[in-house]
Amino acid sequence: MGKKKKSALQVILEDAGIEFDGEVETDTESEEDEVKDKKTNKQPPRETGKTSRLQSKRQEKDKEDKEDKEDKEEDESKEEDNGSQQNRACRRKNYQRRNRDGKKAREEESQKKDRGKTAPTKDQKDSENKEKKTTKRGKEGKKDRKNSTSSASSNSSDEESLSEEELAMLKEQVEQKKKLISTMRNKPWRMVKKLSVLREAQDFVEKFEGALGKGKGKKLYAYKMMMAKKWVKFKRDFENFKTQCIPWEMKIKEVESHFGSSVASYFIFLRWMYGVNLVLFALIFGLVIIPEVLMGMPYGSLPRKTVPRAEQETAMDFSVLWDFEGYIKYSALFYGYYNNQRTIGWLKYRLPMAYFTVGISVFGYSLMVVIRSMARNANESTADGDDNNFIFSWKMFTSWDYLIGNPETADNKFASITTSFKESIVDEQESNKDENIHLRRFLRVLANVLIICCLCGSGYLIYFVVKRSQTFSKMQNVGWYERNEVEIVMSLLGMFCPPLFETIAALENYHPRIGLKWQLGRIFALFLGNLYTFLLALMDDVNEKLAEEDVVKNITHWTLLGHHNSSAGNASAVTPPPLDPADVPRGPCWETTVGIEFVRLTVSDILVTYITILVGDFIRACFVRFVNYCWCWDLEAGFPSYAEFDISGNVLGLVFNQGMIWMGSFYAPGLVGINVLRLLTSMYFQCWAVMSSNVPHARVFKASKSNNFYMGLLLLILFLSLLPVAYTIMSLPPSFDCGPFSGKKRMYDVIQETIELDFPLFVAKIFSYVANPGLIIPAILLMVLTIYYLNAVSKAYQRANAELKKKMQMQREEEKNKRNNKASTNPMLQDLEDLLTPSTKTESPPKQAEDKKTESLNGSSPVRKPGRGEVLAGSPMASGRGAAFTPPSQAFVTQPRTLGVRAPYPGQPRPWGHPLGPVPGRGRGQPCYPPWAAR
Amino acid sequence: MGNKQTIFTDEQLDAYQDCTFFTRKEILRLHGRYYEMAPNVVPMDYTKDPDVKLPMQLIINMPELKENPFKERIVESFSEDGEGSLSFNDFVDMFSVLSEMAPRELKAIYAFKIYDFNTDNFICKADLEKTLNKLTREELTAEEITLVCEKVIEEADMDGDGKLGFADFENMISKAPDFLSTFHIRI
């Protein structure tokens, strides 16, 4: 942009026949220029808003400019030596400016006269354009100066004779612009400035990108550029689409603003979990259940797909279905329904194989996702402040949670901040209080003993109940309670133990964030104990069933044989009527039993959770709210009060539920579907419950990094739930008459079978080699060694880090001592200064703001000048900015062309042809070179 | 979403997306929020870049800012005239800086500006006292306030001039574990 303006000016001046004799400038004049520049900066509060409307006009103008410029360029392009040409152009221009400024200072003439004088030979229209441009240019004086040389060079770059280095320069510039565009959002500039700089940069890139590939492969280059642009656009659209697909954003935001980030972290976790489960659901449904339903043998064709005769009477009763017996038990939701046919349907879909691999990949995918998100979280929180240097500063500047938007939460937050300040003041005043510590230690030990007792008690209770249920299951006519005793007891424990723990934890008096972790750990232990007791009991059950199976197997065999014999004996001509599948005696099918157990547990867990929320939160809230009018004490403030949202309990409930899903999904493929429903409903239900009937925590605290804690728990659970499944797959024989693996010794035999039958021989050979313990053990060893090595490396890095930290600390101390008057040379700080200057009547186009700033810096102290020059030349930021003002012909878009006419400052003598400020060539550094030349 | 073309042109939306951390939808939502604060002043059609500013009184009553003790400072820092009126550009700018995606350095700059009450480019004792009073609703005694302010200066002031320059502030805030999670507003 500078190019156009300058060249236009030069044309004017040349036309006017003004002689350029330099060296007559004085510093005072340049100072004057600066002042004037500033004044004009303040002028145009309106114009920027109209830029877009004026854009078309401007483009016309640009065309005219180009013509002018070309005259001028012809002169310049005759120069052989590039560098000298640039220098000269630069100097000449400066002289021109000086000259004119000086003149202006001397004469007090009207704008029109001036114009008439400077551009006598041009026709009227042209000169009018120029006038506008020159006023504009006054405002941009500084920038012009900075980039004058670069503009000269790109003047010539417009022409056909592009030298190699110019091309390289241009390329670099374009790259810089591109970088600027991509990092625009990180710049601490005003939006108006950002927008216009962005527009300039885009125009520049658009203009010169095409020129770059001139000659060789221009088309290819243009095509590549176009594709790149399209790709960027597509990526952005895709991002937009992706964020639109994230559900419940507003809901969570609302909760967050009411209850702070810790409660919201639960809901975000819930949403994440929902996403994971959706993927698992798609996997299982798409690859197992739907193929089976579509292509497998229909219901009733096989014994395993038919309800036994004895149960058919009641198979449709709701009470039976509710227990997942009857028709549900013999449906594709459970393991037993699947046939062991190698391939099904016309697709020859290998269902047993698919079943096995899906079962494995459920775990694989979950592991991957959990670990990946943990790693991401860990990356985000690398800069954790472990040094305690800034206790008060951090409290002062980071304790307010800007998310809070609810008066009550805000009140709590204010109170908690005040307390925390008071606490740290007290800590500061007397750092150790001995008499309290003993009591506190005693209380903490006591609390832990109590909690361990609770845990043992609950473990024993579950074991007892499970044992009892095994005796019940052998009896006939057991009631509803006896059948569901295990689930009820487990749910009750899960309901009452956490509050009990919380009460006990009150003894310990931890900070709530630490307290939350303890609480989580304890409930985790409780649930884990319960779960494993349950599993052990289940294993007992399975072993019993396995023993029973052997007996049934014989019976079935003989029954079938007998049936065949009898029918064969009747008439050899008639094919025997097959035995009705409902009548075939069958084994207990322990896999389905296990699956049913898990489904029941999940469903009862869902119900208990919802009922707890309804009764414990909603009814309680209603009671407190309405009975309060006629009660003898204040219910809201006193005993029952409203419930707080129980983060730890809810998170753990979710984690354990997921553990059960992982364990059960192998034996009950439909379980994931149930879980997806559960998560979906609980999202809405809990959001409603928390907003309607809970109060914010008394001590609101932030959930910083708790996400990774949840993830850690999840990973642990995932691992623990992997164990039993892997055990059953690897070491228990599958049932003989149900499930996709029936008839095989072990479930994993399906892999071997596939490899032997479906792959060429050498694959089987390779596989057998790979499966050889001789290879596996070294592989494991290698992995262990790698882990050891990586661990050592990371330790070394940590040490180096600590060392560096120490060094920095020392340096800081040193600096603290000696530094007192060092000026801020950081470009970031310059931007900051820009922002911090209490902006004068602004809406000035951003470039002007920039001018103003740099000018004020330059003018402020002579000492600082050289340093400033260096920064400009050296720092990437400065050069990037410099590049932003280099010379695309239509880049001067932000300024409406009517500006000069409006000339809004009556007090100013000469708005026209505004002074151009100090010459960059003299008195400061060597900025006459293009910005890249300094590097 | 059907009316998005009438609010902004595609180029405007793209430019906003380049300059902020928002997606197209969020920018439109921001416009909706801006519009609903003063429906008769703010036009629905922003393709012409209308010159509209809303006064601070309207902005600080947004639920997102209402409870914030520093709401006036926030709005002032982002307003171009320094007096608290925000044009739509400033408004978008404000929430972009306060969004989750904004980098720590950018946030630090604006945080510094917000806590610099008297806009002298330093956080001096008076600024600290004001901050503290706003944070605690003036529930600390005078001695406590002095003590805390002294401690803060002692901790964070590197160059020993008795006030916090931006370098000091940035150095301190860059190590704060909670800064990113607290200095953010969802919209």
Side-chain angles (χ1 to χ4, degrees), chain A residues 132-158:
Chain A
K132 273 160 221 156
K133 252 173 288 148
T134 37
T135 42
K136 226 186 299 167
R137 204 265 234 105
K139 266 165 255 138
E140 321 250 337
K142 171 69 184 175
K143 200 190 322 146
D144 260 3
R145 262 169 274 137
K146 233 194 290 177
N147 298 310
S148 50
T149 50
S150 67
S151 65
S153 76
S154 43
N155 266 350
S156 48
S157 79
D158 256 4

Side-chain angles (χ1 to χ4, degrees), chain A residues 822-839:
Chain A
K822 211 172 166 196
S824 59
T825 46
N826 186 348
M828 187 85 95
L829 296 186
Q830 287 156 15
D831 282 320
L832 180 75
E833 259 167 74
D834 176 22
L835 284 168
L836 287 177
T837 37
S839 3

Side-chain angles (χ1 to χ4, degrees), chain A residues 236 256 414 816 839 843, chain B residues 18 51 80 137 158 186:
Chain A
R236 174 173 292 168
E256 196 167 36
F414 280 125
K816 211 172 181 174
S839 3
E843 272 217 32
Chain B
D18 272 331
D51 180 26
E80 227 175 328
R137 293 203 174 148
M158 292 295 147
R186 274 163 181 255

Side-chain angles (χ1 to χ4, degrees), chain A residues 21-288:
Chain A
D21 69 345
E23 269 38 33
V24 287
E25 270 304 327
T26 61
D27 260 340
T28 49
E29 270 175 15
S30 64
E31 218 88 308
E32 227 176 274
D33 294 348
E34 283 168 15
V35 174
K36 273 178 196 163
D37 272 0
K38 268 186 211 162
K39 269 185 195 162
T40 29
N41 284 343
K42 292 171 199 166
Q43 280 179 12
R46 281 290 144 76
E47 273 80 5
T48 38
K50 288 171 187 146
T51 45
S52 58
R53 234 182 300 153
L54 293 170
Q55 202 140 3
S56 56
K57 259 198 221 169
R58 239 175 284 131
Q59 265 157 14
E60 284 172 23
K61 183 181 63 181
D62 285 344
K63 268 178 214 155
E64 291 163 12
D65 287 350
K66 240 179 207 161
E67 290 164 20
D68 293 351
K69 183 181 54 193
E70 261 154 31
D71 300 348
K72 160 94 197 310
E73 276 164 13
E74 273 168 38
D75 298 347
E76 276 185 6
S77 59
K78 279 166 202 154
E79 302 277 344
E80 298 284 325
D81 183 354
N82 221 345
S84 76
Q85 175 207 351
Q86 281 174 8
N87 272 340
R88 251 192 37 185
C90 166
R91 212 180 314 138
R92 175 151 42 121
K93 193 177 10 154
N94 291 332
Y95 295 162
Q96 291 167 5
R97 285 190 204 134
R98 292 287 166 95
N99 228 328
R100 193 139 52 88
D101 296 343
K103 235 166 113 191
K104 241 178 286 156
R106 266 176 263 126
E107 308 164 0
E108 296 281 321
E109 295 236 13
S110 79
Q111 192 184 324
K112 269 199 180 151
K113 264 191 190 166
D114 245 353
R115 192 203 343 148
K117 220 190 268 176
T118 47
T121 55
K122 289 277 167 188
D123 63 61
Q124 199 58 25
K125 187 186 72 183
D126 260 358
S127 61
E128 230 173 272
N129 283 341
K130 266 163 237 150
E131 170 207 322
K132 273 160 221 156
K133 252 173 288 148
T134 37
T135 42
K136 226 186 299 167
R137 204 265 234 105
K139 266 165 255 138
E140 321 250 337
K142 171 69 184 175
K143 200 190 322 146
D144 260 3
R145 262 169 274 137
K146 233 194 290 177
N147 298 310
S148 50
T149 50
S150 67
S151 65
S153 76
S154 43
N155 266 350
S156 48
S157 79
D158 256 4
E159 293 156 39
E160 294 303 308
S161 59
L162 276 174
S163 72
E164 278 300 310
E165 62 239 57
E166 269 174 333
L167 201 66
M169 272 180 211
L170 200 58
K171 216 165 215 165
E172 194 182 326
Q173 256 176 305
V174 170
E175 285 311 309
Q176 269 175 7
K177 293 273 176 186
K178 277 184 180 166
K179 218 169 106 195
L180 180 73
I181 290 175
S182 64
T183 58
M184 184 64 72
R185 58 187 68 173
N186 292 339
K187 299 260 190 290
W189 297 340
R190 298 267 177 228
M191 183 62 75
V192 184
K193 174 173 172 183
K194 278 196 224 168
L195 285 176
S196 65
V197 173
L198 175 78
R199 207 178 307 138
E200 277 163 27
Q202 278 170 346
D203 286 347
F204 182 87
V205 170
E206 206 153 298
K207 176 151 184 278
F208 286 107
E209 223 162 37
L212 278 184
K214 220 163 255 180
K216 40 191 188 204
K218 179 176 182 183
K219 263 189 187 160
L220 183 71
Y221 187 80
Y223 179 75
K224 244 165 50 187
M225 282 303 141
M226 198 186 72
M227 286 323 279
K229 232 178 266 170
K230 285 250 165 76
W231 174 238
V232 166
K233 184 152 173 47
F234 172 77
K235 262 200 310 204
R236 174 173 292 168
D237 284 349
F238 187 69
E239 283 298 310
N240 283 347
F241 176 72
K242 238 173 35 185
T243 49
Q244 259 175 2
C245 287
I246 296 176
W248 305 308
E249 196 65 38
M250 296 308 288
K251 252 188 162 45
I252 292 177
K253 198 224 121 199
E254 200 182 347
V255 170
E256 196 167 36
S257 66
H258 274 76
F259 294 89
S261 48
S262 55
V263 174
S265 73
Y266 164 73
F267 284 97
I268 290 171
F269 186 57
L270 177 61
R271 184 175 66 182
W272 183 85
M273 206 66 124
Y274 178 72
V276 173
N277 273 285
L278 267 189
V279 174
L280 297 185
F281 176 77
L283 211 61
I284 290 180
F285 265 65
L287 295 179
V288 172

Side-chain angles (χ1 to χ4, degrees), chain A residues 67 422 645 739 932:
Chain A
E67 290 164 20
K422 283 190 169 154
F645 186 77
W932 54 80

Side-chain angles (χ1 to χ4, degrees), chain B residues 7 9 20 39 49 71 76 81 86 101 150 160 170:
Chain B
I7 301 178
T9 61
T20 66
D49 256 342
K71 54 191 171 191
E76 274 167 22
D81 55 8
L86 293 191
M101 317 275 297
E150 272 168 11
E170 202 199 9

